[in-house]
Amino acid sequence: MTTDSFLADCRARLAFDLLSNTWSAVVLWALRDGPGRPRELRERIGGISSKVLTETLRRLQFNGLVERHAFAEAPPRVEYRLTALGRTLLVPIEAFGAWAFEHGDEVMAAQDREAAGAPRPQP
Amino acid sequence: MTTDSFLADCRARLAFDLLSNTWSAVVLWALRDGPGRPRELRERIGGISSKVLTETLRRLQFNGLVERHAFAEAPPRVEYRLTALGRTLLVPIEAFGAWAFEHGDEVMAAQDREAAGAPRPQP
DNA sequence: CGGAATCCCACCAGATACTG
DNA sequence: CAGTATCTGGTGGGATTCCG
């Protein structure tokens, strides 16, 4: 990890690939306070469609970050919750969130500065 | 930040959007030991095309994470380096890399487990 | 050598409608 | 209410080529 392949390395890029989807990190974060049903998660998150939420949860489940529990009840009930592994990922995610809160203004200022100089596409 | 909008919040998602591109984090990391010319960066990174490297650097520059220095010399020379802001982002990036090294095996094991149960697409 | 221009493909995610 | 099916547009990024 003192080498320059720290990130180019397949292994190190894994974490980024896990969260490369638009909603993966958001959904993980929405589950941090406890299990949730799809409907509830959509309310916690806001702006995510049923389909995309399901897809995202499936991916997270596939990667062992989330567990799905289906209850055989009269009105169908499903619950998602973080696995132990998924919970460990909250730490680096939070680090990013903290960074954004701390440096978000600087980024937006830089964007304005650059946009003023030469119009460029956005991330 | 104690609310549930920590990540759903535009502000907090900023960091993820900054690195949502495949190569952004890798390029930032490649610059952590010092400035580099495009050719050199491509060698440090491996597997990135000239076009994509340029695009990535332009985006990073637009967001104030990277500076571009062009020298008016006989053989054209260009150098990229991290800004102070870009350097601060290395910390959370490293946190992700560390996570990947620590938990990568668990993820791959989970993938195998899930794949065995019901074939699913990958992230 | 740096990088801009083209062409092209694959994938993500949104909208909508339907099933159990 | 949970989840699926289908169609669609936008875009990221790979390969190639040409210009200063």
Side-chain angles (χ1 to χ4, degrees):
Chain A
M1 67 182 280
T2 57
T3 81
D4 51 16
S5 66
F6 182 76
L7 259 179
D9 196 301
C10 285
R11 192 70 179 287
R13 291 198 40 202
L14 175 63
F16 288 94
D17 291 340
L18 287 180
L19 302 179
S20 64
N21 298 98
T22 305
W23 295 101
S24 295
V26 181
V27 170
L28 274 186
W29 193 259
L31 284 169
R32 92 186 188 283
D33 288 330
R37 304 176 58 175
R39 179 82 196 283
E40 187 193 354
L41 290 176
R42 290 182 59 190
E43 288 164 3
R44 287 193 206 174
I45 294 170
I48 188 173
S49 72
S50 170
K51 175 208 164 195
V52 173
L53 175 62
T54 302
E55 287 176 349
T56 304
L57 286 166
R58 287 283 186 283
R59 258 191 309 264
L60 294 173
Q61 182 184 5
F62 180 83
N63 293 318
L65 302 172
V66 156
E67 280 173 352
R68 191 185 112 113
H69 293 276
F71 302 88
E73 295 180 358
R77 194 161 74 96
V78 178
E79 231 180 51
Y80 292 91
R81 64 187 61 190
L82 290 176
T83 61
L85 179 60
R87 195 163 295 280
T88 65
L89 194 50
L90 289 182
V91 178
I93 288 177
E94 185 161 12
F96 265 107
W99 184 93
F101 270 100
E102 197 170 343
H103 300 282
D105 289 338
E106 300 173 56
V107 173
M108 296 187 352
Q111 286 172 354
D112 292 343
R113 209 180 316 125
E114 297 288 334
R120 294 285 180 191
Q122 209 146 338
Chain B
M1 69 185 279
T2 57
T3 80
D4 51 16
S5 65
F6 183 75
L7 258 178
D9 195 302
C10 287
R11 193 70 178 287
R13 291 198 41 200
L14 175 62
F16 288 95
D17 292 339
L18 287 181
L19 302 179
S20 64
N21 297 97
T22 305
W23 295 101
S24 295
V26 181
V27 170
L28 274 186
W29 193 258
L31 284 169
R32 121 205 107 131
D33 287 329
R37 303 176 60 176
R39 179 83 196 283
E40 186 194 353
L41 290 176
R42 292 182 57 191
E43 288 164 2
R44 287 192 206 173
I45 294 170
I48 188 173
S49 72
S50 168
K51 175 205 165 196
V52 173
L53 174 62
T54 301
E55 286 175 350
T56 304
L57 286 167
R58 286 283 185 285
R59 257 192 310 265
L60 294 173
Q61 181 183 5
F62 180 84
N63 294 317
L65 303 172
V66 156
E67 279 172 352
R68 191 184 112 111
H69 293 276
F71 302 87
E73 297 179 357
R77 194 162 74 96
V78 178
E79 231 181 52
Y80 293 91
R81 63 187 61 189
L82 290 175
T83 62
L85 179 60
R87 196 163 296 281
T88 65
L89 193 51
L90 289 181
V91 178
I93 287 177
E94 185 160 12
F96 260 99
W99 184 92
F101 270 100
E102 197 170 345
H103 300 283
D105 289 339
E106 300 173 55
V107 173
M108 295 187 355
Q111 286 173 354
D112 292 343
R113 208 181 316 125
E114 297 288 334
R120 294 283 182 193
Q122 208 147 338

